Structures are given as C-alpha cells and as structure tokens.
Amino acid sequence: MREVVTILSGAVSLASVALVFFAISSYRVKAMSTLTACVIGLTVIGLVFKLCSLIFRPILALSDISVIGIFNKMMGAVMGAAEAAVLSYLIYYVLGRMGIYVF
C-alpha cells in the first residue's frame, strides 16, 4: 500500500510542478484566463491530494498491525512466486516459438 501512496505522491508533485511552470509562463505573456485555470487546477489537485491522504492514512495505520503485516508479507511471497512462474512459462513459450529449445 505504501507503494501506491508513493506513486500517487509522485504523480501529484509532477502535475503540480507542470502547472506552476505553465502558470508562470502564462503570467509572463499576460494570458490571465490560462493563469486562472492553472490556479484552479492547483487548488483542485491540492484538495484531491488532501482527500487521498485522509483515505490512505487509516489504511496505512492498519498495515502496522502485526497480524495484518504478517498476512501482507505472506501474500506478497505467494504473489511473487506466482509472478515468477508465469514469467518463466512465458519465456519458455516464447523461446519455444522462436525455435530455441531449452529442455
């Protein structure tokens, strides 16, 4: 879950920086309608980020409980093994179709 929060934070910060640079360039060429749209966009991004923060904070607090943490690690191991099996089969299939036989 922490990975989702990190990716969301990165996307929001990237969008915010882009909007700030766009707002500065709009101010320099005196395009006030574009500047207003950038300010509104920054405000909406801030509100959405705050709402997501309020949603994810209790979920992240639940992951600190030891029983849930153990379950999370166990399911991560199971999903990692399943992913490795699927990728191994996919590589084996592609190599077989190319005429390169492994076994």
Side-chain angles (χ1 to χ4, degrees):
M1 186 56 77
R2 294 189 197 280
E3 294 84 9
V4 173
V5 173
T6 303
I7 290 172
L8 181 66
S9 298
V12 166
S13 63
L14 184 64
S16 297
V17 168
L19 279 175
V20 166
F21 282 133
F22 196 57
I24 290 170
S25 65
S26 298
Y27 176 75
R28 286 187 177 169
V29 296
K30 305 290 188 219
M32 291 303 156
S33 61
T34 308
L35 178 64
T36 304
C38 289
V39 170
I40 291 171
L42 282 169
T43 305
V44 168
I45 285 176
L47 291 173
V48 168
F49 186 70
K50 194 62 157 171
L51 180 66
C52 288
S53 174
L54 290 173
I55 291 170
F56 283 122
R57 189 172 295 142
I59 294 172
L60 289 175
L62 282 176
S63 69
D64 291 334
I65 297 173
S66 63
V67 173
I68 294 176
I70 292 169
F71 180 72
N72 186 21
K73 289 179 185 177
M74 190 172 22
M75 291 306 294
V78 168
M79 291 304 293
E83 181 181 358
V86 168
L87 286 176
S88 297
Y89 175 74
L90 184 65
I91 290 171
Y92 178 75
Y93 179 76
V94 168
L95 288 176
R97 295 288 289 176
M98 292 172 54
I100 303 171
Y101 297 104
V102 179
F103 296 111

